[in-house]
Amino acid sequence: GTNRAYQAGIDRDDGTLAQYTAVCAPVIYRGDRLPADLSGNLFVAEPAANLVSRIVMGDDGRTLTARKAYERAEFLVSTDERFRPVYLSNAPDGAMYVVDLYRGILEHRNSLTVYLREQILSRSLSEPTRFGRIYRVVHESTRRDTTRLPANATPRRLVALLAHPNGWWRDTAQRLLVERGLRTPLPSAVIGQLGTLAASASDWRVRLHALWTLDGIGVIQPAQVRSAMSDPGRDVRAAAVRISERWLGVAGHSIQADVRKRIDDPDWSVRQQVAASLGSLPAGVREEAIAAVLARHADDPVVLDAAISSVPGGELSVLNAILSAPASATPTREAALTMLAATLVRGPRETDAQSVLARVADTALPEWQREALLRGAEVALVGAPMPGSAPRKVAAAAPGAPCATCPGGRAGPGGAYAFARPPVDVQTAYGGANGGEPRQFEATARGGPAVRLSREPAPLRSVAAGAGPISARATAVLARLDWPGKPGSAAPLAPLTPREQQAFAAGQEVYRNICQACHQPDGRGQDRVAPSLIGSALALGPPEIPARILLNGKEGSIGLMPSIGAVLTDDQIAAVLTYVRRAWDQTGTLVDPGTVKTVRALTAGRTRPWTNEELAALPAAGRGGRP
């Protein structure tokens, strides 16, 4: 009964689970009454597989590392398939608590397949209920701490508890100090005690708690934060950078220089926090600082993402700063230019996108810069991999795997994919500015324009008209752009009426609540989870086609689309389809609730998801016909 076992690699040959499919409730054990080798370990609940897993954390100098504590075992596992651990917690007694929902059914009814429903009925998994419980994890070699925290503990007592060896007590003491301090100012002697701990406590954890407590009650001082930025503890330095955001937006504040000194902090976690916090700087100063971060540390994907996210609207200024700096090609600078270009091409301002496309043709720029900008357009438009992304590993189908459309969908037998993988129709080789082996990427067929412009990107057209690999790549990018007068370009859409706009807005809300988790806010889907809705022949086809899919579900090349007809009204289905067909610059027609009502009546007796073949065979492209 493992979730998603139709996918290769989810189950081992002996039927045991090889990958998590419903992991939740991660907690770092910070207690003091279990064996010392558990301290700092990550514990996660996997309710779909009836287990709690233990993961040993590490640091390789560039990021966190993790490994399973046991190669072929788990920390806690049950053969009772109603054991559903859903929450883990450190405890005041130094142990760890596990909350067990204890229910046979864990799936939302929207996602139930015929197979899962039969499993529930045949094994009576709907009963019993009301038997949830909490387990305490202890060890035979330790004794629980039964000390109780008095409700009237004094502030001095709470400050002393910031040094408790059990993280639960430290967290609780900090929370109570902040809650009390926000209601009634704490005595000055207590504030002074916190300041002393923040500056000179021997344990970095105590310094960290004291620093955040001072910040929480609003009495932290710039001098304390400035001093903490030089703390030997990396977590204290990262916290100081984050707290400095209180003053970073003040023009000319001296703490800005202290934060910029941490751009080259020796620890990766501090550099990542700096990249995120620099977004609080005033405009102008912010873009200059972000350019410096990206030029030196864009090889860290978290730094790259945090830095670009810190300058909404200022990406072009950052890109120009990197382009104008006299510097040679490095993987870091290439990555920065690529992702800045990708962000601008997909962004809301056409002038920025046109500027990036024009610079690809600017022969005054070094070749490596033009290549990086073009690759950014490819990342945004044709599915090229982002810098530093690892090649996707696809497990081989097991011998004797079931047929591609066997009943059961998500929960069908076997370890191979239940459905055929999408075809590859684009393969482009890249050789970086510094040479090396070509890198491959693949993109599934999408169709339709990804970005609509108000005028032709003439400079890029000139590149496409040339010769060599770069011209072919420019041609592929142009195919994903649309502008007035382009051969095959669609006529301008009439604006929505107020009533249509109301339906569009209602559909957007439905999409956010139900569809967005899988298909993503931009409609581009997720690998192995949900297909892209951009240019989708099914989503943009005759309205009766996508209406059937929402009402009854669909087996596809990536996974199973569950039916949602039982929980959405005809108006809601029509609204969300209207949104999908007109969002993201798509040109699909609007959907009327009457159409959905007709399709619902036609398909009232259907109990299985649709297949591509069935939808294609419907008379008159989906109008009417058998259910």
Side-chain angles (χ1 to χ4, degrees), residues 31 33 37 91 135 168 183 257 269 331 582 611 614:
R33 298 302 171 106
D37 62 337
Y135 291 103
W168 183 93
R183 291 195 302 266
S269 65
R582 292 299 287 269
T611 66
E614 289 176 316

Side-chain angles (χ1 to χ4, degrees), residues 20-45:
Y20 302 116
T21 65
V23 69
C24 64
V27 65
I28 301 292
Y29 177 67
R30 299 162 58 232
D32 63 337
R33 298 302 171 106
L34 295 181
D37 62 337
L38 269 66
S39 179
N41 284 190
L42 169 66
F43 292 84
V44 293

